[in-house]
Amino acid sequence: MKNSSRRGFMGKAFGAVAAVGAVGSLYAMKKSWDPLPSVKAAGFTTIDLSDYKIANKMYVEGWRGKPIFVMKFTPEMIKKMEASDNKYKKNDIARNIVVDGEHFMVCIGLCTHLGCIPAYRPDKENFLCACHGGMYDFAGMVTKSPPPRGFDIPPFKVVGKTLVLGEEGPEYKKMLATGVTL
Amino acid sequence: MAHFTKATSIHDWFNQRLGIDTVNRVLATEYWIPKNINFLWAMGMILAVTFGLLLVSGIFLLMYYQPNIHTAFDSVNYTIMQQVDFGWLWRHIHAVSASVIFLIIYIHMFTGIYYGSYKNGREMIWISGMLLFVAFSAEAFSGYMLPWGQMSYWAGMVITNLFSLGGLHLNGLVEWIRGDYIPSQAFLDRFFMLHVLLIPLIIIALIGLHFGALRIPHVNNQDGEEIDFDVESKKYLAGDKANSKVIRFMNDFLSKDMAVVAIYLVFLFYLVFWNFGFAMDPINFDPANGLQTPRDIYPEWYFLWSYEMLRPFSTNFGLMTFAFAQGIMFLLPFLDRSKNAVAASRRGWFQVWFWLLLVDMIALSAMGKMPPSGIWYDIGFTAASLFIALWVALPIITIFEKKA
């Protein structure tokens, strides 16, 4: 009995040491898989909105290795977004980034379904994702499933005529709060 | 210390130290296999041989492959394919075997389902086999990343995005898995590690478990006969081989097993030398480009059925049906409420269920490669719904099954 209780204690003592070690090593393993500091530091991009002179033409920029769609809207497009028979009206217009009275779409150009890059069709004024047939209107709102929502808008901060992508400005925070983007 | 005597031969020297006679008896010469089986029982050995081919060809590829996003593509398509003597051979063996091994896995699984070889004590054979299926799927996916072509990149993007779990938006988890915001150097390095070390280790351990799970219940036979292996093996050892229902694993069974393997290898190497194209997607001969999605993204043929379980539905529901498809097969031994471990042809409604499942999975696979619109969408939606309905129906139809 004396022996077995001594063995029991030794077993428990080992268990305690092993548990501490296991928690510690799991933590280290988790942290080792994290993105490196250099990867995180490279996560800011500045774009100048006055560079995008042609409306209804899609420009593709890069941010965190993801494509960023930038498009200036024509006055007709803005009218369509404001029209009362546009069922996406509320969301369409709220997604625009307005600088100096010009309306822009700035969004992450990845299908919100599984991350393919949809193509813009200027003649039809919409986006089509070839992977699973999802569609978006010209403002980036989803019009045909499987994508669950419109294009995500990257965190941005308006500085004069430029945008800093990766930083959260008041306009972006408002979009987050009202559920315009995620 | 055990008592050692002067060895009378090299065999005796080893036998005294390692007990090789005992090992041989336990693992080979007195491991008993029923007589009433057919060529479908050779699939296990075919899988073991194919895994061996993958291991050997993989070792040679590993000597020249470079897990770096700038050099990976050329190390495969230039160095291995054009510079290394017989480099093409290892690559084609590796690619073709990786594809064909899934064909054999599916035959092996459907053989098990058809003959009811997953119940009455054989549950762990089925479960360890399903774990192997999952491990092989992970191995195939991680290996597909390595040439760093367009399909590698975009399959990596799409599959890791699944871990955001749709409406839960776990983007942090996705970035953690990738080690970056998008598939990049960290991503390629860790999938390289998984492909050449961690997952192969897991596979080898699971193969050990799979074989071990077979030891006590023994393999099933095509008549679903319950054989008393103790009685039958005694008959065999006493010399009454004609009346015994069992034979030795080695050499009796193995000689037939390897004959089937030989036919298989002729087929496999025919593909390796003359028809390897099916295992090498043309789109993957374009280097990875994060700013251009290929027009059509589809997985290799062996993932198409589960891909099609995802596609016809909205994101969240699609993820649930996808998860259902991955998980439900593990439960087969418990969802089948009948005790009959005989061929499906003797099991009434189960026979209908079996062929419907097989045809449905082929239909799902075919639709997975079609554009997701029009009639193809409708067929895919129907097949995916039927898949779920079949598994829901299984306990009901088997609970009323009469004893065969």
Side-chain angles (χ1 to χ4, degrees):
Chain A
M1 273 312 283
K2 205 176 175 187
N3 268 343
S4 68
S5 73
R6 195 176 286 173
R7 277 183 197 145
F9 172 76
M10 287 164 76
K12 286 189 190 87
F14 168 74
V17 172
V20 171
V23 169
S25 28
L26 279 177
Y27 180 74
M29 288 173 191
K30 189 267 165 195
K31 295 294 276 183
S32 291
W33 275 62
D34 276 350
L36 299 177
S38 58
V39 167
K40 289 192 156 166
F44 299 95
T45 304
T46 303
I47 59 172
D48 188 341
L49 288 175
S50 55
D51 287 348
Y52 310 102
K53 296 200 167 61
I54 307 169
N56 193 26
K57 172 176 169 18
M58 207 184 64
Y59 296 87
V60 182
E61 303 292 342
W63 169 72
R64 295 187 180 173
K66 292 172 186 167
I68 298 294
F69 290 170
V70 183
M71 187 163 72
K72 188 161 103 171
F73 292 124
T74 62
E76 295 80 54
M77 286 169 133
I78 299 169
K79 255 182 224 140
K80 270 187 211 166
M81 283 190 260
E82 287 169 337
S84 55
D85 59 346
N86 177 6
K87 62 177 169 165
Y88 306 109
K89 181 187 168 193
K90 206 177 120 233
N91 284 320
D92 268 357
I93 206 84
R95 296 170 60 85
N96 293 1
I97 294 175
V98 186
V99 174
D100 273 2
E102 308 256 43
H103 288 242
F104 291 93
M105 173 181 75
V106 177
C107 58
I108 299 175
L110 297 175
C111 184
T112 50
H113 181 224
L114 288 173
C116 302
I117 303 180
Y120 184 62
R121 307 190 289 186
D123 50 327
K124 295 183 176 154
E125 294 188 348
N126 68 4
F127 291 90
L128 172 70
C129 181
C131 294
H132 303 105
M135 286 169 96
Y136 303 80
D137 68 5
F138 59 79
M141 270 309 289
V142 63
T143 53
K144 180 170 171 286
S145 107
R149 60 182 189 281
F151 292 129
D152 291 330
I153 296 168
F156 67 90
K157 188 178 175 192
V158 183
V159 182
K161 280 198 162 187
T162 65
L163 286 187
V164 181
L165 302 179
E167 211 173 318
E168 299 190 1
E171 292 89 348
Y172 176 74
K173 283 187 181 143
K174 194 180 154 218
M175 285 186 182
L176 268 188
T178 51
V180 171
T181 187
L182 277 166
Chain B
M1 191 171 153
H3 183 63
F4 287 85
T5 56
K6 184 169 167 43
T8 55
S9 65
I10 294 170
H11 174 93
D12 183 51
W13 190 90
F14 278 110
N15 199 33
Q16 286 192 45
R17 284 154 183 83
L18 298 174
I20 52 176
D21 280 351
T22 311
V23 171
N24 189 40
R25 200 176 65 241
V26 171
L27 292 184
T29 58
E30 293 186 20
Y31 173 40
W32 303 100
I33 306 291
K35 280 181 180 172
N36 49 342
I37 57 177
N38 58 45
F39 77 98
L40 289 167
W41 269 252
M43 295 303 143
M45 187 56 74
I46 288 179
L47 286 171
V49 168
T50 313
F51 182 64
L53 282 171
L54 283 164
L55 200 63
V56 172
S57 55
I59 286 168
F60 282 91
L61 292 173
L62 191 49
M63 292 195 295
Y64 292 97
Y65 174 74
Q66 296 174 18
N68 178 299
I69 54 172
H70 302 296
T71 57
F73 185 84
D74 285 340
S75 75
V76 175
N77 290 300
Y78 179 67
T79 310
I80 290 173
M81 291 303 286
Q82 296 186 35
Q83 300 288 97
V84 180
D85 274 348
F86 288 97
W88 58 270
L89 176 67
W90 308 121
R91 190 188 185 194
H92 288 175
I93 290 177
H94 209 69
V96 169
S97 301
S99 191
V100 169
I101 203 167
F102 278 92
L103 174 68
I104 308 296
I105 287 175
Y106 285 130
I107 296 174
H108 196 53
M109 283 169 74
F110 274 99
T111 304
I113 300 174
Y114 188 83
Y115 290 103
S117 309
Y118 49 82
K119 49 184 159 178
N120 306 342
R122 296 199 177 91
E123 290 83 356
M124 279 311 297
I125 304 173
W126 178 261
I127 291 168
S128 58
M130 280 303 299
L131 288 171
L132 271 170
F133 177 70
V134 172
F136 268 105
S137 299
E139 181 69 0
F141 172 72
S142 56
Y144 201 64
M145 299 298 101
L146 303 187
W148 209 242
Q150 273 290 65
M151 272 300 197
S152 304
Y153 184 90
W154 287 99
M157 178 75 100
V158 170
I159 298 296
T160 47
N161 262 342
L162 289 178
F163 289 91
S164 68
L165 299 184
L168 296 179
H169 304 298
L170 302 178
N171 294 326
L173 177 63
V174 174
E175 282 157 21
W176 181 73
I177 291 170
R178 293 177 185 162
D180 202 332
Y181 302 108
I182 48 158
S184 64
Q185 185 57 50
F187 175 89
L188 180 58
D189 263 330
R190 63 189 53 178
F191 276 83
F192 172 69
M193 176 282 289
L194 290 172
H195 185 72
V196 304
L197 181 64
L198 186 56
I199 303 174
L201 279 180
I202 293 171
I203 286 177
I204 290 165
L206 284 172
I207 291 174
L209 177 64
H210 198 53
F211 287 177
L214 206 53
R215 185 76 204 189
I216 296 172
H218 289 83
V219 296
N220 198 6
N221 53 75
Q222 62 178 0
D223 304 316
E225 189 181 353
E226 260 196 54
I227 294 172
D228 189 328
F229 283 87
D230 287 334
V231 173
E232 299 300 327
S233 60
K234 282 204 183 82
K235 256 192 232 167
Y236 185 102
L237 288 173
D240 189 8
K241 294 183 186 179
N243 284 317
S244 172
K245 289 176 177 169
V246 298
I247 51 174
R248 299 178 193 273
F249 175 75
M250 203 166 88
N251 300 323
D252 314 358
F253 171 69
L254 210 53
S255 61
K256 298 183 183 187
D257 222 13
M258 294 315 283
V260 182
V261 168
I263 294 167
Y264 162 77
L265 286 176
V266 171
F267 161 73
L268 184 81
F269 279 92
Y270 160 72
L271 293 177
V272 166
F273 292 130
W274 290 286
N275 261 306
F276 47 84
F278 75 97
M280 322 262 268
D281 197 299
I283 299 172
N284 221 23
F285 286 91
D286 289 330
N289 179 355
L291 294 177
Q292 193 196 354
T293 317
R295 207 171 59 81
D296 299 303
I297 294 189
Y298 41 78
E300 288 292 284
W301 70 269
Y302 41 85
F303 291 143
L304 283 172
W305 71 270
S306 55
Y307 184 62
E308 189 60 18
M309 288 300 295
L310 182 77
R311 251 186 4 161
F313 307 107
S314 68
T315 308
N316 286 335
F317 190 67
L319 273 171
M320 282 184 241
T321 53
F322 180 74
F324 177 87
Q326 308 311 306
I328 196 69
M329 285 201 184
F330 275 89
L331 299 178
L332 175 63
F334 313 104
L335 293 174
D336 183 344
R337 306 306 301 163
S338 159
K339 284 270 174 205
N340 297 329
V342 300
S345 59
R346 289 162 54 193
R347 292 186 59 192
W349 280 104
F350 182 83
Q351 183 181 14
V352 179
W353 184 90
F354 173 86
W355 290 109
L356 272 179
L357 182 70
L358 184 61
V359 170
D360 191 46
M361 285 176 73
I362 293 171
L364 281 169
S365 304
M367 290 310 109
K369 195 120 189 194
M370 292 296 170
S373 54
I375 182 81
W376 309 124
Y377 172 85
D378 295 332
I379 299 174
F381 180 84
T382 311
S385 309
L386 177 63
F387 183 86
I388 298 169
L390 280 171
W391 284 96
V392 172
L394 180 61
I396 303 161
I397 62 167
T398 48
I399 210 161
F400 295 112
E401 194 175 308
K402 293 194 180 72
K403 194 160 168 25

